[in-house]
Amino acid sequence: MLYIIEEQSGKAVRLKKGDIITVIDPQGKQVSDMVLFNAHDLKEKISSGKTLDFEESILLSTGHFLWSNRSNKMMRILEDTNGRNDFLLAPCSAETFRIMYNNPEYHPSCLENLTKNLEPYGISQDDIPTAFNIFMNVQFDEKGKLSVLPPTSKAGDYVKFEAQMDLLVCLTACSAEDSNGGSFKPIHFEVSSSN
Amino acid sequence: MLYIIEEQSGKAVRLKKGDIITVIDPQGKQVSDMVLFNAHDLKEKISSGKTLDFEESILLSTGHFLWSNRSNKMMRILEDTNGRNDFLLAPCSAETFRIMYNNPEYHPSCLENLTKNLEPYGISQDDIPTAFNIFMNVQFDEKGKLSVLPPTSKAGDYVKFEAQMDLLVCLTACSAEDSNGGSFKPIHFEVSSSN
């Protein structure tokens, strides 16, 4: 089944262990933030710290796992046609635009869109962890200086994940200008059942 | 006032906005994990993702701030005589030793010591975020490969922080062999009031 996330919005979906989810950048150069929760116990969730620790890498692509705060595997990356994702930076929020973009006006954000789509499941904004930022092109130099460049993804690039437990997944089409080269675009995803 | 954290243990303390806390490595080559909570609302806590985002750097030292999940400043680093800290990796846990050290036996861990010292304040293990790892020497190469080396800190090295809000702080003397060159040592800290 194909799901469409309109520009600057988000969507939540439940997966069973073994299900495959393919996150697609249909037009190219668009970022999708992904957060994961154990479907049966929402206090267990995706952890950047545990993932970087167990995978021993800042960059995560085909063959790597995404881990939870309880040191369990949540997703395996089966395929990644673009090859650049970020797990350092938090989802963009109202304060990102106020502080980093010097924009005091209302601006949609990934944190707002994650919150909107997760609140019906009983998850509040404070409980949303650092997201796995699919297609996000964060560069670092040897001194650790970080910079956000436009994604290298082309139209049709995708990252395919296999659920390692029953999951509640939330995805966005990112709202931050720096993350997508200044143009807002949709994200598509497909779910295929293991049964 | 000087506090002593014995080897492989931890301690929690409350700070007022403006208080100064100095975390000292009395013998050298020892790591201390630090987590922070808003003293008046424990759902607000230190965030690696927000800190790396706002400070635009993987490496954090003098002049940098540590930020919360609500995009507020929690600490300012006033002074850092060693200059190498990590904010990528999660606190070591029982699973760190089982999975990464291939050790199925009981082993003390920073996550256990943070939990022990924070439970009296109503904070459970699942609510403990990725810690700011003072003196921890995590190296990364241009491909993002991570390695944990012994700290470069010498006896008496310290990092001095100024609280930017009223805080509940928890610190450990790290229990992981890789983080301290295989020898477990204490951590000291001093608190001086702004009044």
Side-chain angles (χ1 to χ4, degrees):
Chain A
M1 180 170 176
L2 181 71
Y3 297 81
I4 293 175
I5 306 175
E6 303 294 347
E7 60 178 51
Q8 298 189 304
S9 71
K11 202 175 285 288
V13 66
R14 286 183 186 279
L15 298 184
K16 287 288 189 193
K17 180 177 176 176
D19 284 355
I20 308 289
I21 183 167
T22 305
V23 182
I24 304 155
D25 182 355
Q27 299 178 21
K29 298 193 191 306
Q30 176 59 309
V31 168
S32 178
D33 280 18
M34 181 170 75
V35 291
L36 308 171
F37 296 84
N38 175 337
H40 307 296
D41 185 347
L42 300 173
K43 298 280 281 179
E44 180 167 18
K45 53 189 161 186
I46 189 170
S47 165
S48 57
K50 278 295 178 195
T51 300
L52 270 51
D53 206 0
F54 288 127
E55 299 300 322
E56 299 180 305
S57 180
I58 293 175
L59 298 178
L60 300 158
S61 185
T62 306
H64 285 118
F65 291 90
L66 305 180
W67 294 74
S68 78
N69 58 334
R70 293 184 192 161
S71 298
N72 293 311
K73 292 173 179 172
M74 302 190 95
M75 286 283 205
R76 183 156 70 107
I77 304 179
L78 296 179
E79 205 180 340
D80 179 358
T81 64
N82 174 51
R84 190 88 193 186
N85 310 291
D86 171 67
F87 210 177
L88 298 175
L89 304 186
C92 64
S93 63
E95 298 81 8
T96 306
F97 299 101
R98 183 169 54 78
I99 296 171
M100 302 192 76
Y101 288 73
N102 200 24
N103 173 7
E105 307 298 321
Y106 170 75
H107 193 297
S109 69
C110 282
L111 187 59
E112 182 189 38
N113 287 322
L114 292 168
T115 304
K116 268 187 199 167
N117 286 279
L118 287 168
E119 274 178 342
Y121 297 91
I123 295 167
S124 71
Q125 188 162 87
D126 285 329
D127 295 323
I128 295 173
T130 292
F132 184 62
N133 304 305
I134 303 163
F135 308 123
M136 190 170 183
N137 184 10
V138 176
Q139 296 286 331
F140 47 88
D141 66 18
E142 73 281 1
K143 291 188 174 164
K145 176 79 186 159
L146 294 167
S147 51
V148 179
L149 300 186
T152 54
S153 49
K154 298 178 295 298
D157 270 332
Y158 61 86
V159 185
K160 189 179 284 194
F161 303 87
E162 181 189 49
Q164 306 296 298
M165 62 171 69
D166 294 351
L167 290 172
L168 172 63
V169 179
C170 193
L171 288 155
T172 67
C174 182
S175 298
E177 283 81 351
D178 279 359
S179 300
N180 52 36
S183 66
F184 306 113
K185 285 162 287 193
I187 286 287
H188 294 177
F189 68 93
E190 276 180 350
V191 174
S192 58
S193 169
S194 55
N195 301 317
Chain B
M1 181 169 172
L2 181 72
Y3 297 80
I4 293 175
I5 306 176
E6 303 294 348
E7 60 179 53
Q8 297 189 304
S9 72
K11 202 176 282 292
V13 66
R14 287 184 187 277
L15 298 184
K16 287 289 191 191
K17 180 177 176 178
D19 284 356
I20 308 291
I21 183 167
T22 305
V23 181
I24 304 155
D25 182 355
Q27 299 178 22
K29 297 193 192 306
Q30 175 59 307
V31 167
S32 179
D33 280 18
M34 180 170 76
V35 292
L36 309 172
F37 295 84
N38 176 338
H40 308 295
D41 185 348
L42 300 172
K43 299 279 281 182
E44 180 167 18
K45 54 191 162 185
I46 189 169
S47 165
S48 58
K50 279 294 177 193
T51 300
L52 270 52
D53 205 0
F54 288 128
E55 298 300 322
E56 298 180 306
S57 180
I58 293 176
L59 299 178
L60 301 159
S61 185
T62 306
H64 286 118
F65 291 91
L66 305 180
W67 294 74
S68 79
N69 58 335
R70 293 184 192 162
S71 297
N72 293 311
K73 293 173 180 172
M74 301 190 96
M75 286 284 205
R76 183 156 69 107
I77 305 179
L78 296 180
E79 205 179 338
D80 178 359
T81 64
N82 174 52
R84 190 88 193 187
N85 310 290
D86 170 67
F87 209 176
L88 298 175
L89 304 186
C92 63
S93 64
E95 297 82 9
T96 306
F97 299 101
R98 183 169 54 77
I99 298 171
M100 302 192 76
Y101 288 73
N102 200 24
N103 174 6
E105 307 297 321
Y106 170 75
H107 194 298
S109 69
C110 281
L111 189 59
E112 181 190 39
N113 287 321
L114 292 168
T115 305
K116 270 188 198 166
N117 287 279
L118 287 168
E119 274 178 342
Y121 297 92
I123 295 167
S124 71
Q125 190 162 87
D126 285 329
D127 295 323
I128 295 174
T130 292
F132 184 62
N133 304 307
I134 304 164
F135 308 124
M136 189 170 184
N137 184 9
V138 176
Q139 296 287 331
F140 47 89
D141 66 18
E142 74 281 1
K143 291 189 173 164
K145 176 79 184 157
L146 294 168
S147 51
V148 179
L149 300 186
T152 54
S153 49
K154 297 178 295 299
D157 270 333
Y158 61 86
V159 185
K160 188 178 284 192
F161 302 88
E162 181 189 50
Q164 306 296 299
M165 61 170 71
D166 294 352
L167 290 172
L168 172 63
V169 179
C170 193
L171 288 155
T172 68
C174 182
S175 297
E177 283 81 351
D178 279 359
S179 299
N180 52 36
S183 66
F184 306 114
K185 286 162 289 190
I187 286 288
H188 295 176
F189 67 93
E190 277 180 348
V191 174
S192 58
S193 169
S194 56
N195 300 317

